[in-house]
Amino acid sequence: MPHTKLFIPGPIEVSQKTFAAFCKPMIGHRSNDFKKLYASIQPQLQTLFGTKQPVFLSTSSAWGVMEGAIRNLVVKKVLNCMCGAFSDKWLDVSQRCGKQAEGLKVEWGQPILPEALDAKLATGEFDTVTLIHNETSTGVMSPLKELCAVVKKYPDVLLIVDSVSSFSAVPIPMDELGIDVLLTGSQKALAMPPGLAIFACSERAFERAATMKDRGYYFDFIEFKKNQADDMTPSTPSIAHIYALQSKLEDIFAEGIEARHARHAKLNALVADWVVRNGFEFFAPEGYRSKSLTCVKNNKEIDVAAMNARLKERYHAVIDGGYGKLKGKTFRISNMGDETEQTISELLGWLDDCLKG
Ligand SMILES: *Cc1c(COP(=O)(O)O)cnc(C)c1O
């Protein structure tokens, strides 16, 4: 069976180079070799995060750190910005952690807007906000800079930002924006196998966490900080992922961060042209469209599942047929990771063929 190439918005294709790094021989996680590996990637990670803070490696998917952030930071009440599947779930997760939580809810397909956030925070009820920068389920990118500026007006409110599907595709300067926890995962914008989450915390976040009683162990941010001082992780990490990350960082810095951002913008524009050319519409409003994936509104009422089946059968590739309640009503095309003008153009040609029936 030939491999089916993934154009779904995560997990995405992993390069042979990354896989080769993933398969390196094992080393002890308390050895000097490990410490050297860990320390060697810190400067590049800090540059990518736009932070002077240590960058932590968590052997979990993103949700581990998303839940951890709630347990480490929420004292009074958390405001969960909700605009799609992943951001909606954060309210549920907050409540399951036993926290007071409330949603700032907009319809799927809409962004979170600064005025609405400001109005909620003005109540003084909240000490923490969760925000998903790029809502992967709907293809909406909320205006991060403007939202961060709103949170800055409230000195007692900490901001947790999930950048799972936007990290390294667009700039997210953590310190400059005043983000208190910035987190991402391995299998989306970074094009690595699933299983690693990467995150950093502000000084304010550490101060708050230090006062928290029930932060547990596995995702205790203070424990991560303590171990990081010795170039280690609290528990045995997926060392394979760290080798893969080292290799991926090599790729990113060889291309150049700005060139990487420009490539994503260009590929995203190619997909947008295809959408318009074929008479489809976008699920996200103009100005709030993701740069790393496109959520296409199925206004022509095509049989999305049938088109995708043809794509798989004829070209050994798949796109996504719509997330949850948007299944069949939308479809999503990823331009994350290592895709190039050539691979995206090729995909769009295949889609043209598969649209015909
Ligand atoms: C995929 C995704 C997650 C969840 O990631 P897991 O790896 O399944 O934990 C969270 N947030 C966003 C924006 C995502 O796209």
Side-chain angles (χ1 to χ4, degrees), residues 227-305:
N227 278 274
Q228 200 272 351
D230 289 328
D231 298 319
M232 290 192 292
T233 52
S235 50
T236 319
S238 171
I239 293 167
H241 273 96
I242 301 175
Y243 276 129
L245 179 59
Q246 183 185 43
S247 163
K248 179 50 64 185
L249 289 166
E250 239 170 56
D251 300 345
I252 292 173
F253 284 84
E255 180 180 17
I257 299 174
E258 277 166 27
R260 182 177 172 86
H261 296 158
R263 174 168 58 83
H264 281 82
K266 184 154 196 191
L267 302 188
N268 194 254
L270 283 180
V271 178
D273 287 347
W274 179 91
V275 171
V276 173
R277 193 163 69 236
N278 282 285
F280 286 112
E281 291 166 11
F282 298 95
F283 193 61
E286 172 100 57
Y288 301 101
R289 284 181 211 141
S290 168
K291 294 281 177 225
S292 58
L293 73 131
T294 304
C295 186
V296 184
K297 193 196 239 172
N298 185 12
N299 52 297
K300 290 167 71 178
E301 301 193 359
I302 62 159
D303 185 340
V304 172

Coordinates of all heavy atoms in Angstrom, one line a residue, residues 227-305:
N227 N 14.1 21.7 36.8 CA 14.8 20.8 36.0 C 15.5 21.4 34.8 O 16.6 21.0 34.4 CB 13.9 19.7 35.5 CG 13.7 18.6 36.5 OD1 14.5 17.7 36.7 ND2 12.6 18.8 37.3
Q228 N 14.9 22.5 34.3 CA 15.5 23.1 33.1 C 16.8 23.8 33.5 O 17.7 23.9 32.7 CB 14.5 24.2 32.6 CG 14.8 24.6 31.1 CD 15.7 25.8 31.1 OE1 16.1 26.4 32.1 NE2 16.2 26.0 29.9
A229 N 16.9 24.2 34.7 CA 18.2 24.8 35.2 C 19.4 23.9 35.1 O 20.5 24.3 34.9 CB 18.0 25.3 36.6
D230 N 19.1 22.6 35.1 CA 20.1 21.5 34.8 C 20.0 20.9 33.4 O 20.5 19.8 33.2 CB 20.0 20.4 35.8 CG 20.4 20.8 37.2 OD1 21.3 21.7 37.3 OD2 19.8 20.3 38.2
D231 N 19.3 21.6 32.5 CA 19.1 21.1 31.1 C 18.5 19.7 31.1 O 18.9 18.8 30.4 CB 20.5 21.0 30.4 CG 21.1 22.4 30.2 OD1 20.3 23.3 30.0 OD2 22.3 22.5 30.4
M232 N 17.4 19.6 31.9 CA 16.7 18.3 32.0 C 15.2 18.6 32.1 O 14.8 19.7 32.3 CB 17.2 17.5 33.2 CG 18.6 17.0 33.0 SD 19.0 15.7 34.2 CE 19.1 16.7 35.7
T233 N 14.5 17.5 31.9 CA 13.0 17.5 32.1 C 12.6 16.8 33.4 O 13.4 16.0 33.8 CB 12.3 16.8 30.9 OG1 12.9 15.5 30.7 CG2 12.5 17.6 29.6
P234 N 11.5 17.1 33.9 CA 11.1 16.5 35.2 C 11.1 14.9 35.1 O 11.6 14.3 36.0 CB 9.7 17.0 35.5 CG 9.6 18.3 34.8 CD 10.5 18.1 33.5
S235 N 10.5 14.4 34.1 CA 10.4 12.9 34.0 C 11.1 12.5 32.7 O 11.5 13.4 31.9 CB 9.0 12.4 34.1 OG 8.2 13.1 33.2
T236 N 11.2 11.2 32.4 CA 11.8 10.8 31.2 C 11.1 11.3 29.9 O 9.9 11.0 29.8 CB 11.9 9.2 31.1 OG1 12.2 8.7 32.4 CG2 12.9 8.7 30.1
P237 N 11.7 12.1 29.1 CA 11.0 12.6 28.0 C 11.1 11.7 26.8 O 11.9 10.7 26.8 CB 11.8 13.9 27.7 CG 13.2 13.6 28.0 CD 13.1 12.6 29.2
S238 N 10.3 12.0 25.7 CA 10.5 11.3 24.5 C 11.8 11.8 23.8 O 11.7 12.9 23.2 CB 9.3 11.4 23.6 OG 9.6 10.9 22.3
I239 N 12.9 11.2 24.0 CA 14.1 11.7 23.5 C 14.1 11.7 22.0 O 14.7 12.6 21.3 CB 15.3 10.8 24.1 CG1 15.4 11.0 25.6 CG2 16.6 11.1 23.4 CD1 16.2 10.1 26.4
A240 N 13.4 10.7 21.4 CA 13.3 10.7 19.9 C 12.7 12.0 19.4 O 13.2 12.6 18.4 CB 12.4 9.5 19.5
H241 N 11.7 12.5 20.1 CA 11.1 13.8 19.7 C 12.1 14.9 19.8 O 12.0 15.9 19.0 CB 9.9 14.1 20.6 CG 8.6 13.5 20.1 ND1 8.1 12.3 20.6 CD2 7.7 13.9 19.2 CE1 7.0 12.1 20.0 NE2 6.7 13.0 19.1
I242 N 12.9 14.9 20.8 CA 13.9 16.0 21.0 C 14.9 16.0 19.9 O 15.3 17.0 19.4 CB 14.5 16.0 22.4 CG1 13.3 16.0 23.4 CG2 15.4 17.1 22.6 CD1 13.7 15.9 24.9
Y243 N 15.3 14.8 19.5 CA 16.2 14.7 18.3 C 15.5 15.2 17.1 O 16.1 16.0 16.2 CB 16.6 13.3 18.1 CG 17.8 12.8 18.9 CD1 17.8 11.6 19.6 CD2 19.0 13.5 18.9 CE1 18.9 11.2 20.4 CE2 20.1 13.1 19.6 CZ 20.0 11.9 20.3 OH 21.1 11.5 21.1
A244 N 14.2 14.9 16.9 CA 13.5 15.3 15.8 C 13.3 16.9 15.8 O 13.4 17.5 14.8 CB 12.1 14.7 15.7
L245 N 13.1 17.4 17.0 CA 13.0 18.9 17.1 C 14.3 19.5 16.8 O 14.3 20.6 16.1 CB 12.6 19.2 18.6 CG 12.4 20.7 18.9 CD1 11.4 21.3 18.0 CD2 12.0 20.8 20.4
Q246 N 15.4 19.0 17.2 CA 16.7 19.5 16.9 C 16.9 19.6 15.4 O 17.3 20.6 14.8 CB 17.8 18.6 17.5 CG 19.2 19.2 17.3 CD 20.3 18.2 17.8 OE1 20.2 17.0 17.6 NE2 21.3 18.7 18.5
S247 N 16.5 18.5 14.7 CA 16.6 18.5 13.2 C 15.6 19.5 12.6 O 16.0 20.2 11.6 CB 16.2 17.1 12.8 OG 15.9 17.0 11.4
K248 N 14.4 19.6 13.1 CA 13.5 20.6 12.6 C 13.9 22.0 12.8 O 13.8 22.8 11.9 CB 12.1 20.3 13.3 CG 11.0 21.3 12.9 CD 10.8 21.4 11.4 CE 10.4 20.0 10.7 NZ 10.4 20.2 9.3
L249 N 14.5 22.3 13.9 CA 15.1 23.7 14.2 C 16.2 24.0 13.2 O 16.3 25.1 12.7 CB 15.5 23.8 15.6 CG 14.4 23.8 16.7 CD1 15.0 23.6 18.1 CD2 13.6 25.1 16.6
E250 N 17.0 23.0 12.9 CA 18.0 23.1 11.9 C 17.4 23.6 10.6 O 17.9 24.5 9.9 CB 18.7 21.8 11.6 CG 20.1 21.6 11.9 CD 20.4 20.1 11.8 OE1 20.1 19.4 10.7 OE2 21.0 19.6 12.8
D251 N 16.3 22.9 10.2 CA 15.6 23.2 8.9 C 15.1 24.7 9.0 O 15.2 25.4 8.0 CB 14.4 22.3 8.7 CG 14.8 20.8 8.6 OD1 16.0 20.5 8.4 OD2 13.9 20.0 8.7
I252 N 14.4 25.0 10.1 CA 13.8 26.3 10.2 C 14.8 27.4 10.1 O 14.6 28.4 9.4 CB 13.0 26.4 11.5 CG1 11.8 25.4 11.5 CG2 12.5 27.8 11.8 CD1 11.0 25.3 12.8
F253 N 16.0 27.3 10.8 CA 16.9 28.3 10.8 C 17.8 28.3 9.5 O 18.3 29.4 9.1 CB 17.8 28.3 12.0 CG 17.1 28.8 13.2 CD1 16.2 28.0 14.0 CD2 17.2 30.2 13.6 CE1 15.5 28.5 15.0 CE2 16.5 30.7 14.6 CZ 15.6 29.9 15.4
A254 N 17.8 27.2 8.8 CA 18.5 27.2 7.5 C 17.6 28.0 6.5 O 18.1 28.7 5.7 CB 18.7 25.8 7.0
E255 N 16.3 27.8 6.6 CA 15.4 28.5 5.7 C 15.4 30.0 6.0 O 15.3 30.8 5.2 CB 14.0 27.9 5.7 CG 13.0 28.6 4.8 CD 11.6 28.0 4.9 OE1 11.3 27.3 5.8 OE2 10.8 28.3 4.0
G256 N 15.4 30.2 7.3 CA 15.2 31.6 7.8 C 13.8 31.8 8.3 O 12.9 31.4 7.6
I257 N 13.6 32.4 9.5 CA 12.3 32.5 10.0 C 11.4 33.3 9.2 O 10.2 32.9 8.9 CB 12.3 33.0 11.5 CG1 13.2 32.1 12.4 CG2 10.9 33.2 12.0 CD1 13.4 32.7 13.8
E258 N 11.9 34.4 8.7 CA 11.1 35.3 7.9 C 10.7 34.6 6.5 O 9.6 34.8 6.1 CB 11.8 36.6 7.6 CG 11.5 37.6 8.8 CD 12.5 38.8 8.8 OE1 12.9 39.2 7.7 OE2 12.8 39.3 9.9
A259 N 11.7 33.9 6.0 CA 11.4 33.2 4.7 C 10.3 32.1 5.0 O 9.5 31.9 4.1 CB 12.7 32.6 4.2
R260 N 10.4 31.5 6.1 CA 9.4 30.5 6.5 C 8.0 31.1 6.6 O 7.0 30.6 6.0 CB 9.8 29.8 7.8 CG 8.9 28.7 8.3 CD 9.4 28.1 9.6 NE 8.5 27.1 10.1 CZ 8.4 25.8 9.8 NH1 9.3 25.3 8.9 NH2 7.6 25.0 10.4
H261 N 7.9 32.2 7.2 CA 6.6 32.9 7.3 C 6.1 33.3 5.9 O 4.9 33.1 5.6 CB 6.7 34.2 8.2 CG 7.1 33.9 9.6 ND1 7.7 34.9 10.4 CD2 6.9 32.8 10.4 CE1 7.9 34.4 11.6 NE2 7.4 33.1 11.6
A262 N 7.0 33.8 5.1 CA 6.7 34.2 3.7 C 6.2 33.0 2.9 O 5.2 33.1 2.1 CB 7.8 34.9 3.1
R263 N 6.9 31.9 3.1 CA 6.5 30.7 2.4 C 5.0 30.3 2.7 O 4.2 30.0 1.9 CB 7.4 29.5 2.6 CG 7.0 28.2 2.1 CD 8.2 27.2 2.1 NE 8.6 26.9 3.5 CZ 8.1 26.1 4.3 NH1 7.0 25.4 4.0 NH2 8.6 25.9 5.5
H264 N 4.7 30.3 4.0 CA 3.4 29.9 4.5 C 2.3 30.9 3.9 O 1.3 30.5 3.5 CB 3.3 29.9 6.0 CG 3.9 28.7 6.6 ND1 5.2 28.5 6.8 CD2 3.3 27.5 7.0 CE1 5.4 27.3 7.3 NE2 4.3 26.7 7.4
A265 N 2.7 32.2 3.9 CA 1.7 33.2 3.3 C 1.5 32.9 1.9 O 0.3 33.0 1.4 CB 2.3 34.6 3.6
K266 N 2.5 32.6 1.2 CA 2.4 32.4 -0.3 C 1.6 31.1 -0.6 O 0.7 31.1 -1.5 CB 3.8 32.2 -0.9 CG 3.9 32.1 -2.3 CD 5.2 32.6 -2.9 CE 5.0 32.8 -4.4 NZ 6.3 33.0 -5.1
L267 N 1.9 30.0 0.1 CA 1.1 28.8 -0.1 C -0.3 29.0 0.3 O -1.2 28.4 -0.4 CB 1.7 27.6 0.7 CG 3.2 27.3 0.5 CD1 3.7 26.1 1.2 CD2 3.5 27.2 -1.0
N268 N -0.6 29.7 1.3 CA -1.9 29.9 1.8 C -2.7 30.7 0.7 O -3.9 30.5 0.4 CB -1.9 30.7 3.1 CG -3.2 30.8 3.8 OD1 -3.9 31.8 3.8 ND2 -3.7 29.7 4.3
A269 N -2.0 31.7 0.1 CA -2.6 32.5 -1.0 C -2.9 31.6 -2.2 O -3.9 31.8 -2.9 CB -1.7 33.6 -1.4
L270 N -2.0 30.6 -2.5 CA -2.3 29.7 -3.6 C -3.6 28.9 -3.4 O -4.4 28.8 -4.3 CB -1.2 28.7 -3.7 CG 0.2 29.1 -4.4 CD1 1.1 27.9 -4.4 CD2 -0.1 29.6 -5.8
V271 N -3.8 28.5 -2.2 CA -5.0 27.8 -1.8 C -6.2 28.7 -2.0 O -7.3 28.3 -2.5 CB -5.0 27.1 -0.4 CG1 -6.3 26.4 -0.1 CG2 -3.8 26.2 -0.3
A272 N -6.1 29.9 -1.5 CA -7.2 30.9 -1.5 C -7.6 31.2 -3.0 O -8.8 31.2 -3.3 CB -6.7 32.2 -0.8
D273 N -6.6 31.3 -3.9 CA -6.9 31.5 -5.3 C -7.7 30.3 -5.8 O -8.6 30.5 -6.6 CB -5.6 31.5 -6.1 CG -4.9 32.9 -5.9 OD1 -5.5 33.8 -5.3 OD2 -3.7 33.0 -6.3
W274 N -7.3 29.1 -5.4 CA -8.0 27.9 -5.9 C -9.5 28.0 -5.4 O -10.4 27.6 -6.2 CB -7.3 26.6 -5.3 CG -8.0 25.4 -5.7 CD1 -7.7 24.6 -6.8 CD2 -9.0 24.7 -5.0 NE1 -8.5 23.5 -6.9 CE2 -9.4 23.5 -5.8 CE3 -9.7 24.9 -3.8 CZ2 -10.3 22.6 -5.4 CZ3 -10.7 24.1 -3.4 CH2 -11.0 22.9 -4.2
V275 N -9.7 28.4 -4.2 CA -11.0 28.4 -3.6 C -11.9 29.4 -4.4 O -13.0 29.0 -4.9 CB -11.0 28.9 -2.1 CG1 -12.4 29.3 -1.6 CG2 -10.3 27.9 -1.2
V276 N -11.4 30.6 -4.7 CA -12.1 31.6 -5.4 C -12.4 31.1 -6.9 O -13.5 31.2 -7.4 CB -11.4 32.9 -5.4 CG1 -12.0 34.0 -6.3 CG2 -11.3 33.4 -4.0
R277 N -11.3 30.6 -7.5 CA -11.4 30.1 -8.9 C -12.5 29.0 -9.1 O -13.1 29.0 -10.1 CB -10.0 29.5 -9.3 CG -9.8 29.3 -10.7 CD -8.3 29.1 -11.0 NE -7.7 27.9 -10.5 CZ -6.7 27.9 -9.7 NH1 -6.1 29.0 -9.3 NH2 -6.2 26.8 -9.2
N278 N -12.7 28.3 -8.0 CA -13.7 27.2 -8.1 C -15.0 27.5 -7.6 O -15.9 26.7 -7.5 CB -13.1 25.9 -7.4 CG -12.1 25.2 -8.3 OD1 -12.4 24.5 -9.3 ND2 -10.8 25.4 -8.0
G279 N -15.2 28.8 -7.3 CA -16.5 29.3 -6.9 C -16.9 28.9 -5.4 O -18.1 28.9 -5.1
F280 N -15.9 28.5 -4.6 CA -16.2 28.2 -3.2 C -16.0 29.5 -2.4 O -15.5 30.5 -2.9 CB -15.2 27.2 -2.7 CG -15.5 25.8 -3.2 CD1 -14.6 25.1 -4.0 CD2 -16.6 25.1 -2.7 CE1 -14.9 23.8 -4.5 CE2 -16.9 23.8 -3.1 CZ -16.1 23.2 -4.0
E281 N -16.5 29.5 -1.2 CA -16.3 30.6 -0.2 C -15.5 30.2 0.9 O -15.2 29.0 1.1 CB -17.7 31.1 0.2 CG -18.5 31.7 -0.9 CD -19.9 31.9 -0.6 OE1 -20.3 31.7 0.6 OE2 -20.7 32.2 -1.5
F282 N -15.0 31.1 1.7 CA -14.2 30.8 2.9 C -15.2 30.8 4.1 O -16.1 31.5 4.2 CB -13.2 31.9 3.1 CG -12.2 32.0 2.0 CD1 -12.4 33.0 1.0 CD2 -11.1 31.2 2.0 CE1 -11.5 33.1 0.0 CE2 -10.2 31.3 0.9 CZ -10.4 32.3 -0.1
F283 N -14.8 29.9 5.1 CA -15.6 29.8 6.3 C -15.3 30.9 7.2 O -16.2 31.4 7.9 CB -15.4 28.4 7.0 CG -16.3 28.1 8.1 CD1 -17.7 28.0 7.8 CD2 -15.9 28.0 9.4 CE1 -18.6 27.7 8.8 CE2 -16.9 27.7 10.4 CZ -18.2 27.6 10.1
A284 N -14.1 31.4 7.2 CA -13.7 32.5 8.0 C -13.8 33.9 7.3 O -13.6 33.9 6.1 CB -12.2 32.4 8.5
P285 N -14.2 34.9 8.0 CA -14.3 36.2 7.4 C -12.9 36.8 6.9 O -11.9 36.5 7.6 CB -15.0 37.1 8.4 CG -14.8 36.4 9.7 CD -14.6 35.0 9.4
E286 N -13.0 37.6 5.9 CA -11.8 38.3 5.4 C -11.1 39.0 6.6 O -11.7 39.6 7.5 CB -12.2 39.3 4.4 CG -11.2 40.3 3.9 CD -10.6 39.9 2.6 OE1 -11.5 39.8 1.6 OE2 -9.4 39.7 2.5
G287 N -9.7 38.9 6.6 CA -9.0 39.5 7.7 C -8.7 38.6 8.9 O -7.9 39.0 9.7
Y288 N -9.5 37.5 9.0 CA -9.3 36.6 10.1 C -9.1 35.2 9.7 O -9.3 34.2 10.4 CB -10.6 36.7 11.0 CG -10.8 38.1 11.5 CD1 -11.8 38.9 11.0 CD2 -10.1 38.6 12.6 CE1 -12.0 40.2 11.4 CE2 -10.3 39.9 13.1 CZ -11.3 40.6 12.5 OH -11.5 41.9 12.9
R289 N -8.5 35.1 8.4 CA -8.3 33.7 7.9 C -6.9 33.2 8.3 O -5.9 34.0 8.2 CB -8.4 33.7 6.4 CG -9.8 33.8 5.9 CD -9.9 33.8 4.4 NE -11.1 34.5 4.0 CZ -11.1 35.3 3.0 NH1 -10.1 35.5 2.2 NH2 -12.2 36.0 2.7
S290 N -6.9 32.0 8.7 CA -5.6 31.3 9.0 C -4.7 31.4 7.9 O -5.0 31.3 6.7 CB -5.9 29.9 9.4 OG -4.7 29.2 9.5
K291 N -3.4 31.5 8.2 CA -2.3 31.4 7.2 C -1.7 30.0 7.1 O -0.9 29.8 6.2 CB -1.2 32.4 7.6 CG -1.6 33.8 7.6 CD -1.6 34.4 6.2 CE -2.0 35.8 6.2 NZ -3.0 36.1 5.2
S292 N -2.1 29.1 7.9 CA -1.5 27.8 7.9 C -2.5 26.7 7.4 O -2.1 25.6 7.1 CB -1.0 27.4 9.3 OG -2.0 27.4 10.2
L293 N -3.8 27.0 7.3 CA -4.7 26.1 6.7 C -5.9 27.0 6.2 O -6.0 28.1 6.5 CB -5.3 25.1 7.7 CG -6.2 25.7 8.8 CD1 -7.5 24.8 8.9 CD2 -5.6 25.8 10.1
T294 N -6.7 26.3 5.3 CA -7.9 27.0 4.8 C -9.1 26.1 5.1 O -9.1 25.0 4.8 CB -7.7 27.2 3.3 OG1 -6.5 27.9 3.0 CG2 -8.9 28.0 2.7
C295 N -10.1 26.8 5.7 CA -11.4 26.1 5.9 C -12.3 26.6 4.8 O -12.7 27.8 4.8 CB -11.9 26.4 7.3 SG -13.4 25.4 7.7
V296 N -12.7 25.7 3.9 CA -13.5 26.1 2.7 C -14.9 25.8 3.0 O -15.3 24.7 3.5 CB -13.1 25.3 1.5 CG1 -13.8 25.8 0.2 CG2 -11.6 25.4 1.3
K297 N -15.8 26.8 2.8 CA -17.2 26.6 3.0 C -17.8 25.8 1.8 O -17.5 26.2 0.6 CB -17.9 28.0 3.0 CG -19.3 28.0 3.5 CD -20.0 29.3 3.2 CE -20.5 30.0 4.4 NZ -20.9 31.4 4.1
N298 N -18.5 24.8 2.0 CA -19.0 24.0 0.9 C -20.3 24.6 0.4 O -21.4 23.9 0.4 CB -19.2 22.5 1.4 CG -19.6 21.6 0.2 OD1 -19.5 22.0 -0.9 ND2 -20.1 20.4 0.6
N299 N -20.2 25.8 -0.1 CA -21.4 26.5 -0.6 C -21.9 25.9 -1.9 O -23.1 26.1 -2.3 CB -21.1 28.0 -0.9 CG -19.9 28.2 -1.7 OD1 -18.8 27.8 -1.3 ND2 -20.0 28.8 -2.9
K300 N -21.1 25.1 -2.6 CA -21.6 24.4 -3.8 C -22.2 23.1 -3.5 O -22.6 22.4 -4.5 CB -20.4 24.3 -4.8 CG -19.9 25.6 -5.3 CD -18.6 25.5 -6.0 CE -18.7 24.8 -7.4 NZ -17.3 24.7 -8.1
E301 N -22.2 22.7 -2.3 CA -22.8 21.4 -1.8 C -22.3 20.3 -2.6 O -23.1 19.4 -3.1 CB -24.3 21.6 -1.8 CG -24.8 22.7 -0.9 CD -26.3 22.7 -0.6 OE1 -27.0 21.8 -1.1 OE2 -26.7 23.6 0.2
I302 N -21.0 20.2 -2.8 CA -20.4 19.0 -3.4 C -20.4 17.9 -2.4 O -20.5 18.1 -1.2 CB -19.0 19.3 -3.9 CG1 -18.0 19.6 -2.7 CG2 -18.9 20.3 -5.0 CD1 -16.6 19.4 -3.0
D303 N -20.2 16.6 -2.8 CA -20.0 15.5 -1.9 C -18.5 15.5 -1.5 O -17.7 14.9 -2.2 CB -20.4 14.2 -2.7 CG -20.4 13.0 -1.7 OD1 -19.7 13.1 -0.7 OD2 -21.0 12.0 -2.1
V304 N -18.2 16.1 -0.4 CA -16.9 16.2 0.1 C -16.2 14.8 0.3 O -15.1 14.6 -0.1 CB -16.8 17.1 1.4 CG1 -15.4 17.1 2.0 CG2 -17.2 18.5 1.1
A305 N -16.9 13.9 0.9 CA -16.4 12.6 1.2 C -16.0 11.9 -0.1 O -15.0 11.2 -0.1 CB -17.4 11.8 2.0

